[in-house]
Amino acid sequence: MKFSGFKVVKEALTGHKGWRPLWRNPDPKPAYDIVIVGGGGHGLATAFYLAKTFGALNVAVLEKGWIGSGNAGRNTTIIRSNYLLPGNQPFYEFSMKLWETLEQDTNFNSMVSQRGIINLIHTDGQRDAYRRRGNAMRLSGADARLLSRDELKKMVPFLNCDNARFPIKGGLMQPRAGTARHDGVVWGYARGADMRGVDIIQNCEVTGFRIEDGRVLGVETSKGFIGAKKVGVSVAGSSGRVMSMAGMRLPIESHALQAFVSEGLKPTIPGVITFGAGHFYVSQSDKGGLVFGGDIDGYNSYAQRGNLPVVEDVLEGGMALMPMIGRARLLRSWGGLVDMSMDGSPIIDKTDIDGLYFNGAWCYGGFKATPAAGYTFAHLLATDRPHETVTAFRFDRFNRGYVIDEKGVGAQPNLH
Amino acid sequence: MLIPHPLLGLRDSQEFTYFGDASLMWRPDPEAPEAEAAFCEYVFLRDNPAGVHRELWFHEQGDRSWLVVTRDTTTHEILGAELASDVKGAAQ
């Protein structure tokens, strides 16, 4: 079933009887060439690119719940490539380019909307830092614009530029950044992978790895043993729990990150705006709700929910930045699990166990990375070599001293 | 979350700063022959369990003592708190 304008009109005229499920629900086969653990955006994107770009035919994705029910369904849907360091920025720009062609690649409306992101500047020192970041972004092929206070006021007049404590002095804008519809991304990749023969097996929890002589032979699951030549683990948030079943300790702590949405409002926020004097960022969904978030709760958690102090902190940030937010009612808040790594950057690498591969440690930046993480993880699984944009995302960077510490806070995961 | 401080009673966790796994109290011996590898493990690797976790909290806006708090990471339930100095003293 291919989506097109013609198909929509035809179905509208014939009572919508021709729509079919977007993917099958097959029983697992006894063995596959490649098994992906985790049916989130990253796992499904990996399966999609394995089948589409690398020609892998015998692939399964195993998901404990339903696809997209973890962080893929809990994030704030921002896509951007405004990083600073050479190990990171080319990867995120690669991801941004894949976002730009995602809907054509998957033939699915993922509502990719390049409305721009503005990082606000509050001090002269911050302007210097953002100017440097903007230059680094442009060197990697991305776009960046330094906005003056007047330009900013024209674009987003509701900001409290004259806040006595945190006056706003300008912003760094990436016009190509924006948002995408999280479910649309998951469903697009799932459908595209399924059409190319990938088995997506839901309600199938991995309960252990079968490892003999340092080589992985498959996974034990709630639906029995499934053999595999290669196993790719893509379960960010639960990486610690899953990899401990393979006897591995990771440079990761699991933390809770909360997000919030207000009642639906008329269009008011043009793109994504981030507060530079606290941790608060906001965008407006296509339904009209203001979607916003802030810091992680800051202590190890697998609870998929946060606590009230961070709710207060995020809302204080919102009030300082744009007092009009106080007139909107908060509709929902929720929490997800994030892998906070020791340098705030991700890992896409082989493990010391033959045939076992790992993609995780995304901290709170996994959604924007979805297409490139999928592509590069598929590249690693198919060719056994890291893609050129992820050569820095290795396990051994920590003991070699090549950490990618964007924020410069060291091995203190709750500060990244 | 309320942390049962052994000296001060129940205190709001907002008064504390979180540091991480309680094993961070046990710094490896820098003179040992495998010190480099031991320090890599100490600085970067964590057990990160889903369930009972022993962790260090600093009572920054209180009596500035370090506590070892035992907490369930799947429910946020706090199961106990001891002074880190007592834990370290008992081990030595």
Side-chain angles (χ1 to χ4, degrees):
Chain A
M1 187 177 71
K2 194 163 162 56
F3 288 110
S4 64
F6 172 74
K7 173 86 176 158
V8 171
V9 172
K10 188 179 160 209
E11 288 299 328
L13 296 174
T14 54
H16 293 288
K17 293 192 185 95
W19 300 116
R20 294 285 171 265
L22 296 184
W23 54 84
R24 301 162 293 133
N25 264 318
D27 288 324
K29 290 192 257 178
Y32 293 90
D33 289 341
I34 299 175
V35 163
I36 312 287
V37 182
H42 284 218
L44 292 164
T46 305
F48 173 79
Y49 290 112
L50 270 172
K52 179 172 184 281
T53 311
F54 299 97
L57 298 175
N58 197 11
V59 178
V61 177
L62 310 182
E63 166 55 44
K64 175 180 165 186
W66 64 92
I67 58 169
S69 58
N71 291 334
R74 294 163 191 265
N75 59 78
T76 44
T77 76
I78 295 164
I79 59 176
R80 58 186 172 88
S81 60
N82 56 356
Y83 284 71
L84 172 69
L85 298 180
N88 268 338
Q89 176 57 13
F91 169 84
Y92 288 104
E93 178 52 22
F94 177 51
S95 203
M96 198 65 232
K97 291 203 169 75
L98 289 174
W99 281 115
E100 288 175 325
T101 58
L102 175 71
E103 291 165 337
Q104 287 71 39
D105 288 345
T106 57
N107 176 234
F108 198 85
N109 182 8
S110 301
M111 296 164 70
V112 175
S113 173
Q114 293 179 285
R115 286 179 281 183
I117 186 169
I118 299 171
N119 302 124
L120 297 175
I121 294 167
H122 305 269
T123 64
D124 292 343
Q126 208 167 19
R127 185 184 292 110
D128 291 345
Y130 275 144
R131 193 190 299 275
R132 177 182 175 215
R133 178 179 295 258
N135 285 334
M137 289 160 63
R138 294 175 73 126
L139 277 174
S140 79
D143 56 324
R145 258 183 75 197
L146 207 60
L147 300 178
S148 69
R149 192 168 180 273
D150 291 340
E151 281 176 290
L152 192 68
K153 275 182 119 166
K154 260 186 221 130
M155 254 185 231
V156 275
F158 52 81
L159 291 183
N160 183 9
C161 286
D162 302 315
N163 183 309
R165 179 72 179 83
F166 306 116
I168 297 170
K169 300 193 163 190
L172 177 68
M173 182 175 193
Q174 184 183 22
R176 283 163 64 243
T179 57
R181 170 75 197 171
H182 54 94
D183 287 331
V185 175
V186 169
W187 299 336
Y189 277 129
R191 171 173 166 273
D194 181 84
M195 276 165 47
R196 289 167 176 83
V198 172
D199 282 357
I200 298 168
I201 301 159
Q202 304 184 74
N203 300 309
C204 179
E205 180 177 359
V206 169
T207 54
F209 296 94
R210 192 177 288 180
I211 296 164
E212 276 176 24
D213 300 327
R215 176 157 193 89
V216 72
L217 302 177
V219 289
E220 308 286 351
T221 76
S222 54
K223 296 191 175 182
F225 174 75
I226 300 173
K229 290 179 189 153
K230 292 178 178 177
V231 176
V233 177
S234 193
V235 295
S238 299
S239 294
R241 187 155 31 177
V242 172
M243 296 311 279
S244 71
M245 295 191 282
M248 282 182 69
R249 291 174 85 216
L250 302 174
I252 288 171
E253 283 179 3
S254 296
H255 283 259
L257 176 63
Q258 302 191 62
F260 308 82
V261 65
S262 78
E263 61 188 327
L265 304 170
K266 288 183 179 175
T268 174
I269 297 183
V272 184
I273 299 169
T274 76
F275 187 29
H279 199 162
F280 176 84
Y281 59 91
V282 61
S283 64
Q284 189 167 22
S285 80
D286 290 344
K287 277 197 294 190
L290 305 183
V291 182
F292 51 95
D295 267 327
I296 55 175
D297 273 45
Y299 38 81
N300 287 43
S301 174
Y302 280 94
Q304 285 194 314
R305 64 174 177 79
N307 280 318
L308 289 171
V310 166
V311 176
E312 189 178 24
D313 182 66
V314 170
L315 296 174
E316 279 173 358
M319 288 301 291
L321 178 68
M322 37 186 281
M324 74 171 183
I325 204 172
R327 301 292 298 275
R329 278 167 294 195
L330 189 65
L331 202 61
R332 281 195 309 279
S333 70
W334 63 93
L337 299 184
V338 291
D339 282 0
M340 296 304 297
S341 69
M342 292 292 154
D343 60 357
S345 294
I347 296 168
I348 297 179
D349 201 1
K350 296 187 222 183
T351 68
D352 290 336
I353 298 160
D354 268 353
L356 184 61
Y357 300 76
F358 178 79
N359 164 35
W362 287 99
C363 300
Y364 28 77
F367 180 74
K368 75 179 88 67
T370 304
Y375 190 98
T376 56
F377 197 37
H379 185 282
L380 178 69
L381 281 160
T383 66
D384 269 322
R385 284 179 293 110
H387 185 265
E388 59 183 0
T389 59
V390 296
T391 50
F393 295 168
R394 311 290 295 270
F395 275 114
D396 67 0
R397 69 172 183 263
F398 297 100
N399 46 25
R400 288 168 59 240
Y402 285 86
V403 292
I404 317 166
D405 193 343
E406 284 272 340
K407 219 166 159 186
V409 294
Q412 189 61 42
N414 61 347
L415 299 182
H416 282 289
Chain B
M1 292 192 299
L2 294 173
I3 293 178
H5 193 298
L7 303 176
L8 305 174
L10 284 179
R11 307 298 310 178
D12 191 332
S13 65
Q14 284 293 91
E15 296 173 5
F16 293 79
T17 303
Y18 181 77
F19 189 63
D21 196 300
S23 67
L24 291 168
M25 280 199 295
W26 313 106
R27 190 182 284 262
D29 174 10
E31 304 291 324
E34 301 292 325
E36 190 181 331
F39 265 96
C40 274
E41 224 171 272
Y42 169 80
V43 173
F44 295 121
L45 299 187
R46 299 286 183 273
D47 285 339
N48 191 23
V52 176
H53 188 225
R54 280 165 63 79
E55 55 201 22
L56 290 166
W57 292 74
F58 177 50
H59 199 190
E60 188 163 27
Q61 291 171 57
D63 69 347
R64 303 187 72 78
S65 60
W66 283 90
L67 301 188
V68 175
V69 176
T70 308
R71 191 176 56 93
D72 189 328
T73 59
T74 59
T75 61
H76 297 162
E77 185 189 0
I78 292 179
L79 307 166
E82 305 150 85
L83 286 172
S85 54
D86 287 352
V87 175
K88 203 149 195 177
Q92 285 162 353

